[in-house]
Amino acid sequence: MTTILMIKTELMNLYARYEKIINPLARAVFALVMLVAVNSRIGYMTRLDNIFIVLLVSVLCGALPTGFTAFVCALFTVAHVSALSIEVAGVLLAVYLCMFLLYFRMCGRQYVVLLLTPLAFVLHIPYVMPLIVGVAGGMSAAIAVSLGVLVYYYLSYISQSAAAITAISESDSLEKIRLAIEGIVSNEEMWIMVVIFLLVGALVYLICKSAMDYAWMIAVISGALLNAILNILAMLSFEVEVSLMNLLLGSFVSALIALIVTFMMRGLDYSRAEKVQFEDDEYYYYVKAVPKMQVPTTSRTVKKINSPRNRRS
């Protein structure tokens, strides 16, 4: 445990020292991963599937805020879908505009959460997102996770329906629009996952806000169990196609990742918790203070000793 805490402290000190270099580099790498994932999953426009274009845009994303990365990823997906169908791309663009102009305008800039959720689905660890945002974010971040679920399932629907979309006559635009809207309205599995992620994120958030000891650990484990139970109920009640083995393994791995992330963010030492009571003219306060786990790093000083030169007699 002491070694882990020392590594955590060293990483925090390293980040504080090189923050101006790490932040743009991390944004550039993140944008590169997202654009490569977009091109590999829905690469209908071959001109965008060019490594030089991807690298150039990634460097530009590294120099600008994260919101620009979300805008570029949305632009790439709309451009790819437009190569398949202009009408379907128009519906996708309307979905993005609703998210960017309505939700993110009112509830804060949760662009990273929105981008990470589809990526988590691609990496087969989607259940980690409501667990982490429940601990580190809040209900607004949980809603961003649900929007990320919507984006992933809708893009998957477009990929699965590509043959049906191209089979429709180019003059029958209304039929393409109807098919595109049906992928949002009638996608039962997508809406079930949206509700499950909202409920899991809300449970984790509420438990973390309680004053019980090891609340964040209990919250992550409870959220993982609730996620597994709700998915099993969805399998039995709504015939949602989910592999039971993948569900259990994914819930376990997601809970493990969430525990590691939350420990690195807010590892608390409950053995040194203190309860304080005080009052003023209007209220009487009961305060519970729990210190974070910290290990001071040892500073090493190197002394250079020069041997005296042999003088000639």
Side-chain angles (χ1 to χ4, degrees):
M1 181 64 72
T2 304
T3 305
I4 297 176
L5 290 174
M6 290 182 65
I7 294 174
K8 173 185 174 182
T9 305
E10 289 290 347
L11 290 175
M12 293 174 61
N13 293 336
L14 183 66
Y15 175 77
R17 188 182 306 169
Y18 300 104
E19 179 180 359
K20 294 182 179 180
I21 299 176
I22 294 176
N23 283 343
L25 183 62
R27 287 195 297 266
V29 173
F30 180 58
L32 177 63
V33 172
M34 290 301 304
L35 293 178
V36 169
V38 168
N39 287 339
S40 62
R41 301 284 292 189
I42 49 171
Y44 299 115
M45 184 175 286
T46 56
R47 285 176 292 180
L48 288 181
D49 195 6
N50 186 309
I51 188 61
F52 296 105
I53 295 177
V54 172
L55 287 175
L56 181 62
V57 175
S58 300
V59 171
L60 185 61
C61 291
L64 295 173
T66 311
F68 183 76
T69 303
F71 171 76
V72 168
C73 290
L75 194 62
F76 264 59
T77 55
V78 171
H80 279 300
V81 176
S82 67
L84 179 68
S85 169
I86 296 295
E87 295 81 3
V88 178
V91 175
L92 179 62
L93 180 61
V95 172
Y96 282 137
L97 288 176
C98 290
M99 288 192 300
F100 287 121
L101 298 180
L102 296 179
Y103 169 74
F104 292 109
R105 185 82 174 180
M106 295 183 295
C107 300
R109 300 175 179 179
Q110 305 288 348
Y111 301 115
V112 176
V113 176
L114 174 65
L115 292 172
L116 282 177
T117 303
L119 184 62
F121 273 95
V122 173
L123 298 176
H124 304 290
I125 50 171
Y127 311 124
V128 73
M129 292 306 299
L131 301 179
I132 291 179
V133 300
V135 174
M139 287 309 301
S140 61
I143 297 174
V145 170
S146 299
L147 293 177
V149 173
L150 189 149
V151 170
Y152 171 77
Y153 273 93
Y154 189 54
L155 292 178
S156 298
Y157 169 80
I158 293 174
S159 298
Q160 294 168 5
S161 306
I165 293 172
T166 53
I168 300 174
S169 174
E170 294 184 0
S171 60
D172 197 355
S173 300
L174 290 178
E175 180 63 20
K176 292 184 179 181
I177 294 175
R178 185 198 65 79
L179 188 64
I181 296 176
E182 184 179 332
I184 301 176
V185 178
S186 304
N187 196 332
E188 189 177 62
E189 183 178 350
M190 179 189 73
W191 291 114
I192 290 173
M193 292 303 296
V194 166
V195 173
I196 290 176
F197 277 36
L198 273 175
L199 292 175
V200 172
L203 175 68
V204 175
Y205 174 74
L206 292 175
I207 295 178
C208 285
K209 290 300 179 182
S210 66
M212 70 176 73
D213 290 351
Y214 304 99
W216 61 272
M217 184 181 297
I218 297 173
V220 169
I221 296 174
S222 300
L225 291 175
L226 178 64
N227 174 77
I229 292 171
L230 292 178
N231 273 278
I232 292 174
L233 290 176
M235 291 168 55
L236 298 176
S237 303
F238 301 97
E239 298 181 357
V240 176
E241 296 182 3
V242 179
S243 172
L244 183 60
M245 182 61 65
N246 291 338
L247 171 63
L248 297 178
L249 183 60
S251 297
F252 174 77
V253 173
S254 298
L256 184 61
I257 294 174
L259 288 173
I260 294 173
V261 171
T262 50
F263 173 78
M264 297 297 290
M265 291 180 59
R266 55 174 70 179
L268 302 179
D269 187 1
Y270 287 96
S271 63
R272 296 191 292 126
E274 298 180 359
K275 294 183 179 180
V276 182
Q277 301 178 16
F278 57 94
E279 62 177 315
D280 58 15
D281 294 336
E282 297 181 358
Y283 294 96
Y284 198 90
Y285 301 91
Y286 296 87
V287 179
K288 181 178 181 180
V290 184
K292 292 184 178 181
M293 295 181 183
Q294 291 183 351
V295 175
T297 56
T298 57
S299 59
R300 300 176 181 177
T301 58
V302 179
K303 294 183 178 180
K304 187 176 181 180
I305 302 175
N306 295 324
S307 58
R309 295 181 180 177
N310 295 326
R311 297 180 179 178
R312 295 181 181 178
S313 56

